[in-house]
Amino acid sequence: MRKSVVAGNWKMNMNNKEGARLAGEIVNGLKDGFDCEVVLFPSFTTIPSVLEVVRGSSVSVGGQNLYSESSGAFTGEISADMLKELGCEYVLVGHSERRHIFGEDSVILSKKLRIALKYGLSPFFCVGELLEQRESGIAGDVVERQLREVLEGLDESEISRVKIAYEPVWAIGTGKTATASDAADMHSLIREVIENIFSRTISQRMIIMYGGSVKPANAAELIKEKDIDGALVGGAALRADSFLEIIRQSVR
Ligand code: PGA
């Protein structure tokens, strides 16, 4: 049985003080132990204070983004090495806001994913279709292409360090969630694509999380689906009570 993973993507919220307080409340709420991996993705400037607060707990921390090159004249960018050296274990790659607001395509996402792996970070690779793609019946093709374009060519040790988050774009921050059965269908397709590219063993081990308006009210029905291994949470991760409740419901 795969251990579930619940991650909080704080996006461009939570300054140092607010982030440290929220992380403290989360660590405190988890002190009795939950059989669930918990990861926080604060903004870059808030990472050090969150790392300080979670030290010694089971909570890990990741970056929301990174640049596709190791170092150099890229004003305003953050490298994989900088995140790793701070103490981050994870990094988000391919979040729909990066794809759609910042125009990141599979070419750049492939480079980002590979540079993350090279520097010892484990990527959460996000995929998901637009509303019109779902309505025209091509959601599965879109997600399969997103997976193949970026993941093909990784070796076994590399793919073993990747987690996947399926986040239908129309469900992010909108209050709309995919039904548990629609999400489950997509998760099982994703697992099949991973099996076809790599192997059954790798696909069975792969953590595939759901994201898009996950809240305490819908977490339990999503996690009971066998191919849904946890949640990538945005809005509901900004309050300790709702985030902790999602974690509680995600233990299996
Ligand atoms: P949401 O965001 O939970 O606010 O929909 C999810 C995400 O963007 O990862």
Side-chain angles (χ1 to χ4, degrees):
M1 176 72 97
R2 294 173 295 268
K3 181 171 170 174
S4 52
V5 181
V6 174
N9 172 12
W10 292 358
K11 310 194 180 185
M12 200 174 73
N13 299 293
M14 298 288 149
N15 63 21
N16 261 300
K17 213 162 105 191
E18 295 160 341
R21 187 170 57 224
L22 176 58
E25 289 167 359
I26 292 166
V27 168
N28 204 28
L30 293 172
K31 67 176 182 305
D32 294 336
F34 283 97
D35 196 21
C36 174
E37 184 173 357
V38 176
V39 187
L40 302 177
F41 290 96
S43 58
F44 292 137
T45 53
T46 299
I47 289 173
S49 50
V50 170
L51 278 165
E52 182 80 32
V53 173
V54 304
R55 186 171 301 138
S57 78
S58 58
V59 176
S60 7
V61 176
Q64 294 176 16
N65 185 29
L66 79 170
Y67 196 57
S68 50
E69 301 290 334
S70 302
S71 64
F74 304 105
T75 302
E77 295 297 324
I78 300 283
S79 71
D81 173 57
M82 291 167 185
L83 292 173
K84 184 68 187 175
E85 188 247 6
L86 275 184
C88 288
E89 269 181 60
Y90 293 105
V91 67
L92 296 180
V93 174
H95 188 276
S96 82
E97 285 145 24
R98 299 301 315 176
R99 290 178 190 265
H100 299 292
I101 304 174
F102 301 99
E104 295 186 1
D105 60 12
S106 292
V107 174
I108 185 102
L109 296 177
S110 266
K111 288 192 185 163
K112 287 188 170 197
L113 189 116
R114 282 162 177 75
I115 204 120
L117 288 167
K118 181 172 166 195
Y119 282 87
L121 294 165
S122 297
F124 275 48
F125 179 54
C126 309
V127 294
E129 79 286 356
L130 298 166
L131 184 58
E132 56 268 31
Q133 293 167 330
R134 172 150 292 261
E135 284 172 346
S136 56
I138 57 164
D141 300 338
V142 168
V143 168
E144 174 160 5
R145 193 171 62 241
Q146 291 172 338
L147 292 166
R148 287 190 177 276
E149 284 176 350
V150 171
L151 300 181
E152 273 179 350
L154 294 180
D155 67 27
E156 195 174 321
S157 76
E158 291 169 326
I159 188 66
S160 302
R161 289 163 46 214
V162 175
K163 300 187 199 313
I164 294 173
Y166 167 58
E167 300 200 300
V169 179
W170 48 270
I172 297 181
T174 57
K176 291 185 196 149
T177 339
T179 62
S181 99
D182 281 348
D185 288 349
M186 187 62 90
H187 281 237
S188 97
L189 174 85
I190 292 171
R191 209 173 292 289
E192 199 180 302
V193 173
I194 297 300
E195 178 172 344
N196 292 338
I197 306 177
F198 299 100
S199 68
R200 181 158 175 81
T201 313
I202 286 172
S203 79
Q204 288 305 311
R205 275 198 227 124
M206 178 61 75
I207 293 291
I208 309 175
M209 308 155 75
Y210 174 81
S213 298
V214 175
K215 8 183 205 304
N218 59 22
E221 59 171 331
L222 288 160
I223 197 75
K224 76 174 188 327
E225 298 291 343
K226 71 174 179 22
D227 283 314
I228 301 184
D229 303 316
L232 179 55
V233 188
L238 297 176
R239 286 187 39 186
D241 55 356
S242 51
F243 190 60
L244 288 166
E245 185 53 34
I246 292 170
I247 294 169
R248 257 176 232 120
Q249 297 194 14
S250 300
V251 174
R252 27 187 196 202

